[in-house]
Amino acid sequence: MSNNGLPKTAAVRLNHVALICADLEACEAFYAGVLGLVVVWRPDPDNVYLSSGSDNLALHQGTPQPGGALDHIGFSVASAGDVDVWHERLQAARVRIAAAPRTHRDGSRSLYCNDPEGTLVQLIFLPPQALSPAVQERRGP
């Protein structure tokens, strides 16, 4: 049993995030054209599925509902310096920056921007010390 009384099971990983987009074309241009995700499936004109190779994003044409539960979508980068490189690239693409790059107490570094629908997107570098012991244990030595 785990500490919370539930049976111990294999660790879960994020499979995908799905967004309802009023302007599907603009959102696809942001996630594919600016962030570099690859379109892996377009089953019809109202749906597009993208991937970074390890993370997946589904975009669905529709009317977003106010007060949704999504806080932000986080994409990891390989180094702290990459956050600053992304900051420059996002500015060049005229993407709205919600929070400029900053280094956090745990040594991670991130920035926040908004996609065309206003969804908050975080680009973050997570150094090894930023990972909790539980995450490090699941990843192994």
Side-chain angles (χ1 to χ4, degrees), residues 64-140:
Q65 300 299 309
L70 180 66
D71 177 59
H72 71 274
I73 301 170
F75 291 94
S76 60
V77 297
S79 73
D82 287 347
V83 173
D84 299 296
V85 171
W86 271 105
H87 185 241
E88 291 176 18
R89 179 176 179 175
L90 293 167
Q91 287 180 313
R94 298 187 177 160
V95 172
R96 182 182 174 280
I97 303 298
R102 76 179 194 93
T103 301
H104 306 276
R105 292 179 294 197
D106 62 1
S108 63
R109 184 164 178 79
S110 72
L111 68 81
Y112 289 88
C113 64
N114 294 101
D115 78 1
E117 297 284 333
T119 301
L120 192 60
V121 175
Q122 179 186 39
L123 297 174
I124 187 167
F125 163 67
L126 291 166
Q129 70 270 18
L131 297 174
S132 71
V135 172
Q136 289 176 355
E137 180 181 312
R138 278 184 264 163
R139 288 186 168 191

Side-chain angles (χ1 to χ4, degrees), residues 5-92:
L6 296 174
K8 187 170 182 163
T9 59
V12 297
R13 297 182 317 165
L14 178 67
N15 178 269
H16 72 278
V17 172
L19 301 176
I20 302 294
C21 306
D23 188 340
L24 186 65
E25 186 177 317
C27 284
E28 179 181 342
F30 174 77
Y31 288 104
V34 176
L35 291 186
L37 276 70
V38 175
V39 174
V40 294
W41 188 35
R42 188 186 315 277
D44 56 57
D46 293 331
N47 297 281
V48 62
Y49 298 87
L50 304 103
S51 180
S52 69
S54 59
D55 301 306
N56 303 292
L57 177 66
L59 303 177
H60 305 297
Q61 181 72 47
T63 304
Q65 300 299 309
L70 180 66
D71 177 59
H72 71 274
I73 301 170
F75 291 94
S76 60
V77 297
S79 73
D82 287 347
V83 173
D84 299 296
V85 171
W86 271 105
H87 185 241
E88 291 176 18
R89 179 176 179 175
L90 293 167
Q91 287 180 313

